[in-house]
Amino acid sequence: MTKAMYVHVPFCDHICAYCDFTRCGYYKPLVDQWLHAMIKELHDKALSPCKSVYIGGGTPSTLNEEQLESLLTALLPYTKHAVEYTMEVNAESLSEAKIALLVQYGVNRISMGAQSFQPHHLKKIERVADYAMIKQRIAQLRFHDITNISLDFMYGLPDQTMSEWVEDLHRAVALPITHLSLYALTIEEHSRFGRAQIQPCDADLEADFYETAIKLLEENGFEHYEISNFARDQRFSEHNLAYWHYDDFYGIGCGASGKENHIRYDNTRNLHTYIQNGPCPDKTLLSVKDEMFEMMMMGLRIKKGVSDVVFHQRFACSYHDVFDTAIQKHCASGNLLESNHRLYASKQGMMLLHEILVDFL
Ligand code: SF4
């Protein structure tokens, strides 16, 4: 049974300088048309209720209250038994009234974009919400009993210094949040940064930012449970764990991807196509070889690694039968470790995962 659902809301209040996701500026009539098409997509698919539902984007909190309520109502048949129901928000578009709606419809986890607490970096990356606003929204969410709150940060921003990064992390861990996701800035060709030919951060400095963050967050009670993700009190992202466990998941909406019954699909990224013709998914039939590799690729991202028992249940063989040469090589070098029928990356291996995975291809 598919247990996870991702819903993509491709609208934002404004466009950040580094972004090339599937998104466009908020325009009410267009959002209404998108909602209509999205509800039709839901009706046309025979979906079952999910254990986790994640509304991402874009910026879902951009929707006005009426639109947000329509979206949450359409999703009710699939969310009513959800253990985790997350919505991505930006602090500036989240109001008390919207928080009340989220609570009413069972949303119990918020993922909020922060990216930086330094005003000059926020200005450069063209983001609105500052530290004070984010702190205030967290307090409002907690007042309404939404206590499972994740913040996103970026490192390797143009001219970012280590002391600024450390200051941001100290401020983040002092907030009553449960989860942090950290991403290195990548310069996407079609983003404003890409067009302005902004240069990426030096690779050594980027690695220093990452290692500093791991140490600081672990010292402050955050478990580094996935390459880019940290949780307090074991409040891991259940939804993302479905990806890392290589489970099936539904992808709903313009620009969403999903995986069901050995088929990966990518819905059209063209909003007008989506509104007129529906998701028009581009489908890929995954071979057993693809799936074995992808299960290793996803599972080695998490601290717990890949279970050989689960691998055997799926493929009727051990990962040693398929990847033994690569496993032996990287266990010998200390990049990978194995115990209790689980293969996982060491701290050093986590940093080298891309190179390690080449040997699994
Ligand atoms: S980074 Fe997020 S909020 Fe900014 S434009 Fe992209 S999708 Fe929208």
Side-chain angles (χ1 to χ4, degrees), residues 12 14-16 18-19 21 58-59 90 127:
C12 293
H14 63 276
I15 305 302
C16 307
Y18 53 86
C19 180
F21 298 143
T59 313
N90 274 348
R127 296 211 34 116

Side-chain angles (χ1 to χ4, degrees), residues 223-243:
E223 183 177 344
H224 184 203
Y225 75 102
E226 194 268 349
I227 288 189
S228 307
N229 288 280
F230 301 79
R232 242 180 201 153
D233 305 326
Q234 306 211 315
R235 307 291 288 272
F236 310 125
S237 164
E238 287 296 329
H239 183 80
N240 286 343
L241 279 170
Y243 301 149

Side-chain angles (χ1 to χ4, degrees), residues 25-182:
Y26 178 88
Y27 176 56
K28 185 181 178 299
L30 200 58
V31 178
D32 286 338
Q33 289 176 38
W34 164 81
L35 253 177
H36 192 264
M38 206 249 2
I39 291 168
K40 182 170 183 324
E41 183 188 355
L42 278 173
H43 285 161
D44 288 348
K45 290 186 171 167
L47 309 177
S48 30
C50 292
K51 192 175 151 210
S52 76
V53 176
Y54 191 106
I55 308 176
T59 313
S61 55
T62 283
L63 269 51
N64 70 25
E65 286 154 37
E66 193 188 330
Q67 292 163 335
L68 184 58
E69 185 154 24
S70 298
L71 171 67
L72 297 169
T73 303
L75 292 173
L76 256 184
Y78 319 102
T79 60
K80 56 188 172 199
H81 304 308
V83 175
E84 184 184 275
Y85 188 2
T86 304
M87 191 170 96
E88 281 181 0
V89 305
N90 274 348
E92 68 270 21
S93 57
L94 190 64
S95 60
E96 279 283 341
K98 289 183 192 176
I99 295 174
L101 273 177
L102 298 180
V103 173
Q104 185 186 334
Y105 284 87
V107 173
N108 58 13
R109 185 172 183 273
I110 290 294
S111 174
M112 193 183 299
Q115 316 314 349
S116 173
F117 285 150
Q118 307 291 331
H120 59 292
H121 288 313
L122 290 172
K123 195 168 169 206
K124 221 179 268 181
I125 61 178
E126 299 175 50
R127 296 211 34 116
V128 176
D130 60 7
Y131 171 70
M133 192 190 285
I134 285 172
K135 192 174 173 192
Q136 189 191 7
R137 290 295 177 271
I138 291 171
Q140 286 172 293
L141 286 163
R142 288 177 58 82
F143 178 78
H144 287 275
D145 290 331
I146 298 184
T147 56
N148 199 0
I149 301 168
S150 179
L151 291 184
D152 284 359
F153 278 87
M154 294 183 110
Y155 56 93
L157 299 172
D159 304 322
Q160 185 180 23
T161 65
M162 184 61 79
S163 61
E164 289 170 341
W165 178 230
V166 168
E167 185 186 317
D168 279 0
L169 293 170
H170 275 300
R171 287 172 125 185
V173 298
L175 291 168
I177 56 172
T178 51
H179 193 276
L180 279 163
S181 299
L182 310 183

